[in-house]
Amino acid sequence: MNTSLAEHHASPLPPGAQAPDFTLPATPDQKMSLSELRGAPVILAFYPADWSPVCGDELGLFNAALDMFKRYQAQFVAISVDSAWSHAAFAAQRGYHFPLLADFEPKGAVAKRYGVYRAAEGVSERALFVLDGEGVVRWSEVSPISINPGVDGVLDALQRLASTPQQDLS
């Protein structure tokens, strides 16, 4: 469900924009760069915080959908402003099988570049981006922070990307 951006005070990168590259901690001692994932679709899920009920439910749903994403050769990556240590504990406790990247210091720098940082709260919006293999945004959605957006929009975007790779999918 697309909602009004004015409601969120966010201006996410639009379809057709080149997704900014970044390098963020994936674990306390390892980093991951977006550019490492080029050549296949990437799903970026920005979420407000580890340990919150809606975020845990959302990421659990995406964890359960990983096999569906793999059908499109898509990599799923989640990003929040929490530390790599918090992510490590959260992922271990919840059994997540995808990278949780720490947009911790400088806080929210990547979320800001994607237009989904909530400065008043110091967290990112609940936002999803589907990138093509060249790192171009093909679909994005910002959801209310208290609502789990589910996976249907992502799966629809991946299906459209597979059938029409050069079009914006919004």
Side-chain angles (χ1 to χ4, degrees):
M1 170 173 92
N2 286 330
T3 56
S4 166
L5 293 180
E7 179 181 325
H8 306 291
H9 308 293
S11 183
L13 287 177
Q18 183 68 41
D21 195 19
F22 57 78
T23 300
L24 291 172
T27 68
D29 60 353
Q30 294 179 328
K31 293 186 181 237
M32 175 184 268
S33 296
L34 180 60
S35 59
E36 295 172 27
L37 304 176
R38 290 276 161 81
V42 175
I43 305 151
L44 295 179
F46 288 86
Y47 66 101
D50 293 343
W51 309 107
S52 70
V54 176
C55 294
D57 290 347
E58 177 187 19
L59 295 181
L61 187 58
F62 283 116
N63 196 55
L66 290 176
D67 285 341
M68 289 186 267
F69 300 154
K70 287 179 185 173
R71 291 181 197 151
Y72 298 98
Q73 289 79 45
Q75 171 74 41
F76 179 80
V77 177
I79 302 171
S80 85
V81 299
D82 293 301
S83 73
W85 292 105
S86 178
H87 285 337
F90 187 52
Q93 195 265 347
R94 298 292 180 110
Y96 297 147
H97 300 288
F98 53 82
L100 296 179
L101 303 184
D103 193 9
F104 185 69
E105 187 59 42
K107 186 174 185 178
V110 173
K112 288 173 189 169
R113 293 176 69 202
Y114 279 75
V116 294
Y117 186 69
R118 296 173 69 114
E121 294 95 344
V123 298
S124 70
E125 295 280 1
R126 189 173 308 286
L128 298 166
F129 294 88
V130 173
L131 313 179
D132 67 16
E134 301 302 313
V136 174
V137 175
R138 295 298 174 191
W139 178 85
S140 64
E141 178 178 79
V142 175
S143 298
I145 212 159
S146 61
I147 298 195
N148 179 345
V151 299
D152 291 344
V154 170
L155 290 171
D156 289 347
L158 289 171
Q159 184 175 22
R160 289 191 308 261
L161 182 61
S163 62
T164 56
Q166 297 306 313
Q167 291 184 334
D168 297 337
L169 306 174
S170 53

